[in-house]
Amino acid sequence: MTGVWALLGALAVAGALGVLLKVREGRISSRSAPSADLPAPVRDLLAPGVTLVQLSTTFCAPCRHAKVVLRDLADRTEGLTHAELDVTNLPDVTTSLGVMRTPTTLALTADGTEVLRVGGVPKRDSLLAALRPHLP
């Protein structure tokens, strides 16, 4: 009988974690922090206007979906650029930026100021609405 209770407890914890991850997927965090210590690989990707820097890893399936969403959004929006950085072999970049998962998307201005951050696959309409104040 103890085994049944342990199994039910494990299922309850796993279910709660699943719900928590689902709620946080694609959530936008607003920021306005100048990034003086922006790592060189990220700084090299910046373009005029706002650059969506997607931090991905080699075998990340959601990263491919995020790439499609972000590239389409950048192609249709003036002043918005999309760049992808594979951080599989760049743990120092993720550590310095405080990135805990992929995909993570950073919206950076030309001077390196982070205006927002999205963990997971972004929702197109929500992201565009959050970016509007920062676009020309």
Side-chain angles (χ1 to χ4, degrees), residues 10-25:
L11 288 173
V13 169
L17 286 174
V19 169
L20 178 66
L21 289 175
K22 184 69 175 168
V23 167
R24 294 186 57 144
E25 179 72 20

Side-chain angles (χ1 to χ4, degrees), residues 5 8 15 35 40 43 49 63-64 69-70 83 85-86 92 95-98 105-106 111 114 120 123 125 134-135:
W5 287 111
L8 290 175
S35 300
R43 197 173 337 113
C63 294
R64 288 181 282 246
V69 171
L70 295 172
L85 180 63
D86 186 343
D92 52 324
T95 301
S96 67
L97 294 172
T105 304
L106 308 175
D111 66 353
E114 182 179 334
K123 295 171 181 67
D125 295 334
H134 307 286
L135 295 172

Side-chain angles (χ1 to χ4, degrees), residues 50-130:
V50 176
T51 304
L52 297 174
V53 178
Q54 177 187 344
L55 303 173
S56 303
T57 52
T58 305
F59 298 106
C60 170
C63 294
R64 288 181 282 246
H65 185 77
K67 181 179 181 177
V68 170
V69 171
L70 295 172
R71 183 168 287 159
D72 178 59
L73 185 62
D75 288 345
R76 295 173 185 240
T77 309
E78 183 182 341
L80 191 61
T81 307
H82 170 253
E84 184 177 15
L85 180 63
D86 186 343
V87 293
T88 303
N89 297 317
L90 301 171
D92 52 324
V93 171
T94 57
T95 301
S96 67
L97 294 172
V99 172
M100 303 298 285
R101 65 182 284 198
T102 58
T104 293
T105 304
L106 308 175
L108 302 167
T109 60
D111 66 353
T113 301
E114 182 179 334
V115 293
L116 60 87
R117 179 180 291 220
V118 181
V121 179
K123 295 171 181 67
R124 185 184 189 289
D125 295 334
S126 300
L127 181 58
L128 185 58

